Amino acid sequence: MSAVLDHPGAHDDHAHDHPHGWRRWLFATNHKDIGTLYLWFSFVMLITGGLMALTIRLELFQPGLQYVQPEFFNQMTTMHGLIMVFGAIMPAFVGFANWQIPMMIGAADMAFARMNNFSFWLMPPAALLLVGSFFAPGGATAAGWTLYAPLSTQMGIGMDMAIFAVHILGASSIMGSINIITTILNMRAPGMTLMKMPLFVWTWLITAYLLIAVMPVLAGAITMLLTDRHFGTSFFNAAGGGDPVMYQHIFWFFGHPEVYIMILPAFGIVSEIIPTFSRKRLFGYSSMVYATASIAILSFIVWAHHMFTTGMPVTGQLFFMYATMLIAVPTGVKIFNWVATMWRGSISFETPMLFAIGFIFVFTLGGLTGIILSVAPLDIQLHDTYYVVAHFHYVLVAGSLFALFAGTYYWLPKWTGHMYDERLGQWHFWMSMIFFNVTFFPMHFLGLAGMPRRYADYPMQFADFNMLASIGALGFGLSQLIFLTAILKCIRGGKPATPEVWENPQGLEWTLPSPAPYHSFETPPTVK
Amino acid sequence: MRAQDGNDRGNGMTIRMLAAVAGVLATGAAHAVNDMPGGPGVNQLNLPVGVTKIAADQWWVHNFLMIVCLAIFVAVFSVMFYSLWAHRKSRGHRPADFHESTAVEIAWTVVPFLIIIGLAIPATRMVVEQKDTSQADLTIKAVGYQWKWGYEYLKGEGNGISFLSTLTTPIDQIEGRAPKSDTYLMEVDNPLVVPVGQKIRMVITANDVLHAWMVPAFGVKQDAIPGFVRDTWFRAEKVGVYRGQCAELCGRNHAFMPIVVEVKSAEDYKAWVEGRKKEMLAQLDDPTKEWSQADLSERGAKVYAANCVACHQANGKGVAGAFPGLEGSKLVVGRQEDQIALLLNGKPGTAMASFKQLSDVELAAVATYTRNAWGNRAEDPIVQPKDFTAARKP
C-alpha cells in the first residue's frame, strides 16, 4: 500500500501536493490513504477480537473453570462480538470502498474528502473506549454484543463507555455511507450507467442505504438504554411501565439489516473475482443486482426471527418465519449465478479465487443452517445454543472475512504495485479453511445437543467437541499470521505487477498503472 | 432418545478418537463420561427425540430439513466442483461466452420458492401446535432469578406448592479439585416434579433480568422476561428425569442455573404432592416468634449459601469491581432499617435484586447472619422476622 504513496512530490502536480510523515495520515484526504488507514485499523481490531476469541476457547478447552472467572468470560464474549462487528468487519469493507469505488467508477477521489478523514478518525477513539472499558471499575460490559436490557442496565461504567463507542462508530458509518452514496451517484465516468456499474459498487450503494436507515435506530436503542441507566427513564424497565422485549425489537430492527451490511459488499467482492478467474463474464448481472436489492428490502421485515423464544403470537411467528425463509430465494439466485459464471469458463486457482470458491462453499453451508433456523418450531430448540454460534460464524467468518481476504489478495497488486507471494496466499487459504471448519463445524452438534451459548462452563458430555473447537480456533488464529506476512512482504517488494495484474480482468481499475496513481482518474475515462 | 444416542455413538467415534488424542496430550488422562440421563448424550450429534410429541416432531422436521438441505448442497456443489475440475484452465479449457438467460433465472427463482413452500407447511402446523397452551391439567409458574429457578404450582393437583431450585454441583468439581460427575452442572436440589401424560402449562417470568427456561427433551424453550408473563406447555410421555439449562445470558452465573424436571407416574406424583405439603406445613415458620441469635445465624448461613454467595462470595468479600463485599460493609453493620429496605427492594441499576420472595424468617436470618459473620460486629446484631413483616406493610 505504501508503495503507491511513497513518491508524492515526484510529479509536477503541486496543486495537489499533500502532507508527509504523520500529517499525511492524520490529515489524510486521499481515498487511498484513508482506505489504507481503515484496512490497518480493522486488521488490528481483528487481532484484538481474535485474542478475545482465543481466551474464550482457552476457557472452554475443558469443562470446569480454569483460567478466567465467568464475569470476565462474559466480558470476553461481549467485546469479541462488538469489536469484530463494529471494529473489524464493517471498517474493513469501508476500507475496500475507499480504495476501490473511485477506481472502479473512474473518479479521482471520494466526494467528501474531509468528511472521509473525519469518519475514519472517529474510529480509533471509539476503539480506545471499547478496549479501555476493561480497565474501568467492574470491567467491560458483559451483557452480550446485543446489550439486551435489563442485564445491560446492571453493568458498570464499562457499559457507558461501550454505548458511547457505538454512538461514535454509528456516526462514522453514517458519514462514510453518505460519502459513498454521493460518490457513486455523482462521480461515475461518462457512459457508466447504473446498470453498467461493477457489482462491488452496486452492493456498496445498497449497503450504504441500509446503514443510513438502521444506524440511527441502533443509536436510539442505546440512547434509551443510557437514559434508563442514568436519567430515571423506564423504556425497558417493566417496573416503571417499560418493556424489555421492546429493546430487542428495536435492536434487531437494526441488527438484521446489519448482518446484510456485513455480507452484501462481500457478495460484491466475490462477484468481481469469480469472473476474472473463470475468464468469463459474470452470469446474470442484472439478476444479481435485483437479488441484492431484494435481500436488502427483505432484511427490514425479518428482525423478529431473532426473538422466536420471547413468546410472540402465532401470527407473528408465522409472518417472521415465512419472510425469513423467503430470503433464501434471492440468496440462492446469487449462488446459482456464481456457479453459472464458472460453468464452462477457463478456471484458474490463484489465492483470490480460492477464497472466493471457499466463500461460496462455506457460506452456503451457513445459508442452509439459516434455513433450518428460520423454521420457528425448530428455532425453539436451537435458539441461543451453539448451533446459532456455528451458523453466524459460517456466514460472518467464512462469509464476510473470507471475502475480505479474497478481495485483499485480488487488489493488493493494484495497491502496492507488487505481486503477493502466491505460496503464502495458498497456505493462508488452506490453513484458514481447514481450521475454520475444525473450529465451527463441531458447534452444530453442540447446539443440536442443547449446549447454550455464552457459557463459561459446560457439562462433561460436551467436552470433546469443545476441545476440538478450541484446537481449531488456535490454528485459525495462527493462520492469520501467514496473512500478515503475505501482506507485509507484498508491501515491501515482490514481482512488479502489470496494470492488468490478472489475465484480461474487467473493470476500470485495471486500466490504471500498478500501483495506482495518487489521484485515481484525473480525467474521467469514457465507458462504452 | 436412547435409540438415537445409539446411532450417534457410532458416528461420534472418529471425532471422539481425534479429540481423545488431544485430550490425552492436554490432561494426561481422559476419564470415561456416560450419557447424562435425561440430558445430553456424549458427543450427541442430533436433536434429542425427546419424550413429548413436540420434541419428536421437531426431531422429525429437522431430519426432513437436513435431507432437503443435503440434497440441495450436493446438487449445487457437484455442479460447481465438476466445473472446477472439467473447466479449469490448466486442462486447456477455453471459456464460453454466454452470460445471461432469463429462462434459467426464472427457473432458479421459482424452484427454490416452491421448495420453501414445501418446508413451510409442516412448520406452520407445528407453530400452531406449540402455541396452544389451552386446557392444561396443571399450571406451574417458573420464575428466573439470578441465578436459580423458582417454581410455584398455581392450578391443578399440588397447587400451593412452591420452592426454589438451585444448582447442587459442588464448587470443588467446578474448580477442578474433584472429579466431575455425569450430571455435572445439570443437577439441582429441588427438581420440578410433574405427572406423566398430563398437559403442563408453564407460566414463565423473571425477577431481575432475562432468563430462558429450556428442556430439550420436551422441545421447550421460553424466555423469562421480568415484568411480563409468557407461557408454553409440554406433555411428557415417559417417566424419568429430564434436564436443561438457562438459555438467555443473565450475568455471571448464567451457566450455573440448570432446570431439572422429574416426571412421575400419577401415583408417585400424588405421593410427592402429599409429602411436599406436609413438609411445607412443618416448615411453616412462625414469623411472630422471637428468635435467638444462634438460631437465626444458623438458618441465615443456609439462606446465604443459597441466595447470596454467587455474588458476595462465601468469604463475604464480594468480587472486586463487580459485587461489593459484605465484610465490614457500612450498610450491613449499620442501621437495621437500611439493610431491611435493601433486601426487600434491591438496588435499581445494579445486580442487587429484591429478595422479597424469601420469607420474613429467611430474610431476618440472613440479615442476622451477615451482621455477625466474617468479624462483622453490628451494634444491634439481631434482626427479627417481625421487623421484616413491619417493613413490608405499605
Side-chain angles (χ1 to χ4, degrees):
Chain A
M1 283 154 231
S2 54
V4 189
L5 317 151
D6 274 345
H7 45 84
H11 53 77
D12 49 7
D13 190 5
H14 288 286
H16 293 282
D17 200 13
H18 55 277
H20 307 286
W22 59 273
R23 282 190 186 79
R24 169 177 159 199
W25 302 107
L26 189 61
F27 304 135
T29 49
N30 178 276
H31 74 102
K32 298 192 180 71
D33 282 358
I34 294 172
T36 304
L37 285 170
Y38 264 110
L39 289 174
W40 277 115
F41 173 83
S42 65
F43 188 77
V44 171
M45 287 290 108
L46 180 75
I47 298 300
T48 313
L51 288 174
M52 291 174 182
L54 289 180
T55 312
I56 294 168
R57 286 318 319 172
L58 178 71
E59 179 53 51
L60 295 178
F61 183 64
Q62 283 182 304
L65 294 177
Q66 287 93 13
Y67 303 99
V68 298
Q69 287 301 305
E71 61 269 20
F72 187 70
F73 181 91
N74 291 348
Q75 293 174 26
M76 282 286 138
T77 53
T78 305
M79 297 307 276
H80 166 72
L82 284 173
I83 285 182
M84 287 303 199
V85 168
F86 293 106
I89 302 289
M90 288 171 69
F93 281 123
V94 183
F96 271 88
N98 258 294
W99 259 100
Q100 286 308 125
I101 288 176
M103 291 204 281
M104 293 172 101
I105 62 172
D109 206 310
M110 297 291 285
F112 303 119
R114 282 180 207 287
M115 189 167 79
N116 204 4
N117 171 292
F118 190 45
S119 44
F120 172 76
W121 281 109
L122 280 175
M123 309 209 71
L128 285 177
L129 273 172
L130 282 177
V131 177
S133 69
F134 278 105
F135 304 99
T141 169
W145 86 276
T146 51
L147 307 177
Y148 271 11
L151 187 61
S152 48
T153 55
Q154 280 188 355
M155 298 288 149
I157 188 157
M159 181 72 214
D160 302 309
M161 293 169 80
I163 289 178
F164 193 36
V166 174
H167 265 135
I168 297 174
L169 292 169
S172 159
S173 286
I174 290 173
M175 281 190 274
S177 305
I178 291 172
N179 207 348
I180 287 168
I181 292 174
T182 313
T183 307
I184 296 175
L185 292 185
N186 295 296
M187 295 169 68
R188 296 193 310 280
M192 181 177 279
T193 58
L194 283 175
M195 287 312 273
K196 279 186 188 161
M197 286 197 313
L199 219 73
F200 177 70
V201 180
W202 252 118
T203 52
W204 242 117
L205 180 65
I206 293 168
T207 303
Y209 275 109
L210 283 182
L211 273 168
I212 290 181
V214 299
M215 289 314 283
V217 179
L218 173 67
I222 57 178
T223 305
M224 287 150 112
L225 215 67
L226 193 73
T227 62
D228 267 16
R229 285 168 56 77
H230 296 295
F231 307 118
T233 58
S234 298
F235 291 112
F236 310 127
N237 175 9
D243 180 354
V245 181
M246 184 173 72
Y247 177 82
Q248 299 180 28
H249 280 294
I250 304 173
F251 180 86
W252 286 114
F253 188 81
F254 147 79
H256 202 80
E258 168 71 14
V259 304
Y260 293 107
I261 286 165
M262 292 189 281
I263 200 66
L264 294 184
F267 289 165
I269 291 175
V270 170
S271 305
E272 299 299 328
I273 292 172
I274 300 275
T276 299
F277 297 94
S278 304
R279 291 161 185 81
K280 192 162 153 275
R281 268 177 70 182
L282 182 70
F283 187 85
Y285 171 89
S286 41
S287 87
M288 285 297 232
V289 173
Y290 301 141
T292 310
S294 318
I295 294 174
I297 292 164
L298 284 175
S299 78
F300 283 102
I301 55 163
V302 298
W303 76 89
H305 69 216
H306 297 268
M307 304 164 54
F308 281 145
T309 62
T310 54
M312 61 179 90
V314 176
T315 42
Q317 280 206 351
L318 290 179
F319 171 78
F320 285 107
M321 176 172 80
Y322 297 151
T324 306
M325 292 173 117
L326 216 52
I327 291 189
V329 175
T331 315
V333 166
K334 297 197 81 96
I335 289 164
F336 300 143
N337 276 322
W338 287 322
V339 174
T341 306
M342 289 186 253
W343 186 253
R344 290 178 55 209
S346 173
I347 304 168
S348 60
F349 301 96
E350 288 86 348
T351 310
M353 184 62 166
L354 285 179
F355 269 110
I357 296 169
F359 166 93
I360 298 179
F361 184 68
V362 206
F363 176 82
T364 303
L365 263 170
L368 292 173
T369 55
I371 295 184
I372 289 179
L373 284 169
S374 75
V375 177
L378 272 184
D379 184 69
I380 299 292
Q381 281 280 30
L382 299 172
H383 177 75
D384 264 334
T385 69
Y386 262 79
Y387 196 88
V388 176
V389 177
H391 161 72
F392 70 71
H393 281 94
Y394 264 82
V395 288
L396 264 181
V397 179
S400 308
L401 189 62
F402 277 19
L404 286 163
F405 288 152
T408 307
Y409 287 109
Y410 185 54
W411 284 306
L412 202 55
K414 176 59 58 190
W415 300 342
T416 63
H418 309 129
M419 295 306 286
Y420 60 89
D421 184 332
E422 185 61 42
R423 223 174 44 142
L424 281 178
Q426 304 250 348
W427 268 99
H428 177 220
F429 169 74
W430 285 109
M431 299 302 267
S432 297
M433 189 67 178
I434 291 166
F435 282 119
F436 169 80
N437 282 292
V438 173
T439 311
F440 293 104
F441 204 75
M443 291 185 186
H444 292 115
F445 302 132
L446 288 173
L448 285 165
M451 177 170 164
R453 61 194 283 216
R454 296 162 168 170
Y455 261 31
D457 194 5
Y458 49 83
M460 299 296 285
Q461 288 76 7
F462 301 135
D464 292 350
F465 285 137
N466 269 293
M467 187 175 277
L468 199 61
S470 290
I471 295 168
L474 181 66
F476 189 76
L478 291 176
S479 309
Q480 303 325 310
L481 297 178
I482 311 177
F483 181 54
L484 181 64
T485 315
I487 290 178
L488 290 176
K489 204 172 157 193
C490 183
I491 292 173
R492 292 171 54 160
K495 206 178 107 213
T498 60
E500 292 84 24
V501 181
W502 313 107
E503 206 182 307
N504 193 26
Q506 302 297 302
L508 290 175
E509 73 265 41
W510 310 110
T511 62
L512 290 167
S514 303
Y518 202 60
H519 299 287
S520 300
F521 285 94
E522 299 201 16
T523 23
T526 310
V527 180
K528 280 186 271 328
Chain B
M1 185 156 46
R2 295 305 99 196
Q4 179 58 20
D5 291 349
N7 294 334
D8 294 345
R9 215 164 288 135
N11 298 337
M13 238 3 228
T14 351
I15 298 149
R16 210 179 328 161
M17 273 158 60
L18 267 176
V21 173
V24 170
L25 286 175
T27 58
H31 29 174
V33 184
N34 304 305
D35 292 352
M36 190 187 299
V42 177
N43 297 336
Q44 182 183 323
L45 295 178
N46 199 354
L47 287 176
V49 182
V51 290
T52 62
K53 182 165 181 302
I54 298 270
D57 285 354
Q58 283 165 333
W59 181 82
W60 183 87
V61 168
H62 177 254
N63 289 353
F64 167 66
L65 277 170
M66 277 304 286
I67 293 166
V68 174
C69 287
L70 210 65
I72 297 172
F73 187 80
V74 170
V76 172
F77 287 107
S78 48
V79 173
M80 187 180 91
F81 282 109
Y82 171 78
S83 173
L84 293 181
W85 175 78
H87 307 143
R88 65 189 194 276
K89 191 190 172 204
S90 58
R91 205 164 166 257
H93 194 270
R94 306 240 139 252
D97 70 345
F98 62 90
H99 59 84
E100 63 195 345
S101 157
T102 313
V104 168
E105 298 286 353
I106 290 175
W108 65 38
T109 308
V110 172
V111 171
F113 188 73
L114 295 177
I115 295 177
I116 277 172
I117 291 176
L119 300 181
I121 291 168
T124 305
R125 249 199 334 260
M126 280 196 69
V127 169
V128 176
E129 199 179 323
Q130 274 177 339
K131 299 299 288 185
D132 177 20
T133 54
S134 63
Q135 296 174 349
D137 300 307
L138 203 61
T139 303
I140 303 172
K141 182 163 101 172
V143 186
Y145 299 98
Q146 281 174 318
W147 292 275
K148 58 186 163 291
W149 290 96
Y151 297 110
E152 220 176 297
Y153 290 64
L154 297 182
K155 227 160 117 188
E157 191 180 0
N159 108 53
I161 294 177
S162 75
F163 51 86
L164 291 173
S165 177
T166 326
L167 178 75
T168 51
T169 302
I171 189 82
D172 281 352
Q173 283 190 24
I174 295 172
E175 292 183 347
R177 289 185 296 270
K180 297 173 178 43
S181 71
D182 285 345
T183 51
Y184 178 67
L185 296 187
M186 292 178 89
E187 48 203 3
V188 297
D189 50 1
N190 300 309
L192 177 68
V193 178
V194 297
V196 73
Q198 306 265 303
K199 183 167 185 174
I200 316 291
R201 174 170 175 248
M202 295 298 298
V203 179
I204 294 173
T205 185
N207 184 55
D208 30 49
V209 298
L210 300 169
H211 302 271
W213 198 83
M214 152 169 98
V215 181
F218 298 164
V220 162
K221 182 182 290 140
Q222 171 59 52
D223 287 3
I225 303 160
F228 290 81
V229 173
R230 298 288 154 89
D231 63 354
T232 183
W233 71 278
F234 63 87
R235 188 197 301 272
E237 283 158 5
K238 235 162 95 184
V239 172
V241 181
Y242 303 98
R243 296 162 208 269
Q245 291 175 295
C246 175
E248 183 65 64
L249 180 63
C250 57
R252 184 182 196 275
N253 287 353
H254 173 44
F256 306 98
M257 49 178 292
I259 294 127
V260 180
V261 184
E262 255 185 74
V263 178
K264 287 184 187 288
S265 66
E267 307 84 69
D268 288 355
Y269 178 72
K270 202 171 170 161
W272 176 82
V273 168
E274 276 164 17
R276 191 83 208 179
K277 288 216 156 147
K278 270 190 205 133
E279 228 173 274
M280 281 174 71
L281 275 177
Q283 269 187 359
L284 200 61
D285 300 306
D286 178 6
T288 54
K289 178 182 134 191
E290 285 280 324
W291 289 58
S292 76
Q293 182 179 335
D295 286 351
L296 279 173
S297 278
E298 194 196 326
R299 181 81 183 273
K302 286 185 198 139
V303 179
Y304 186 84
N307 296 282
C308 319
V309 76
C311 296
H312 297 299
Q313 305 297 316
N315 58 14
K317 289 185 196 298
V319 174
F323 309 113
L326 302 186
E327 183 193 48
S329 151
K330 284 212 185 68
L331 196 135
V332 172
V333 298
R335 289 181 347 132
Q336 288 193 353
E337 298 85 84
D338 296 338
Q339 195 185 13
I340 291 172
L342 181 72
L343 285 167
L344 284 176
N345 304 325
K347 190 173 173 191
T350 69
M352 182 66 194
S354 155
F355 282 88
K356 60 173 186 260
Q357 74 274 12
L358 299 180
S359 74
D360 290 345
V361 176
E362 287 170 316
L363 286 168
V366 81
T368 306
Y369 171 72
T370 55
R371 296 174 88 78
N372 299 286
W374 320 295
N376 281 354
R377 290 282 166 268
E379 272 181 29
D380 37 0
I382 309 177
V383 183
Q384 289 294 345
K386 63 176 166 31
D387 298 333
F388 275 93
T389 319
R392 274 188 210 261
K393 298 229 168 79

